[in-house]
Amino acid sequence: MFEPWDPQAPGVLTLPSGRSIRGRSLRAQLPDGQLPQLGLYLMGKEPAPMPWTTRWLRWRDFGLPADKRAARRSLEDVWAEAATIRVEIGCPGGRGRTGTALACLAVLDGVQPEDAVAYVRRHYDHRAVETPWQRWYVARFMQ
């Protein structure tokens, strides 16, 4: 049986559909409590192995995904999987790339693209989505 993320746990973003996804900094200590069943990690190089299923999306710091089609597929996949398993998205800092990916998931979940960054900043981290081009990417994610 699927046990979703505790909505009060650190880094957990609940989307309008009720799906919850945890965002986190990979430099920080792993939070106590539930473990992810799937992690999507947004980094310039492949992350170290973890004891759960992981996927890697090449995405350099303060930038955009190296392959935007692959990013779209990966984010669509984790959004769908978040309905039945605990999904985590992370990058070393947990704000720029992670916030951008979470905002894209909010768009997939029905949040208007022009409102998605504000949604993630309100419900995840007020400093999420750090650069103008990351905001641009979210605004045009569905195009």
Side-chain angles (χ1 to χ4, degrees):
M1 170 143 172
F2 168 56
E3 181 183 340
W5 289 112
D6 173 354
Q8 303 304 312
V12 173
L13 172 70
T14 302
L15 296 168
S17 67
R19 285 176 170 89
S20 57
I21 298 171
R22 181 171 75 185
R24 78 173 174 105
S25 163
L26 299 176
R27 284 194 297 252
Q29 183 175 346
L30 183 67
D32 290 335
Q34 298 168 299
L35 294 176
Q37 294 166 293
L38 169 67
L40 175 63
Y41 301 108
L42 318 168
M43 304 172 64
K45 62 179 184 169
E46 192 167 2
M50 300 193 191
W52 49 83
T53 302
T54 62
R55 297 183 190 153
W56 170 50
L57 187 59
R58 187 181 303 276
W59 191 330
R60 44 178 201 86
D61 200 10
F62 296 107
L64 298 175
D67 182 336
K68 291 178 184 61
R69 279 192 204 140
R72 172 94 180 243
R73 280 191 309 274
S74 292
L75 292 169
E76 288 172 343
D77 289 348
V78 299
W79 176 82
E81 292 182 77
T84 59
I85 63 173
R86 284 187 306 279
V87 174
E88 166 178 273
I89 293 183
C91 67
R95 289 196 178 108
R97 292 168 279 186
T98 297
T100 301
L102 291 171
C104 290
L105 294 178
V107 171
L108 289 170
D109 205 66
V111 175
Q112 292 299 309
E114 61 273 12
D115 299 329
V117 171
Y119 183 89
V120 170
R121 286 178 174 171
R122 187 170 45 257
H123 298 288
Y124 170 67
D125 186 308
H126 72 278
R127 293 180 291 182
V129 191
E130 296 174 311
T131 68
W133 43 92
Q134 289 171 340
R135 288 190 299 278
W136 176 89
Y137 180 74
V138 172
R140 287 155 185 80
F141 181 69
M142 294 301 280
Q143 296 177 355

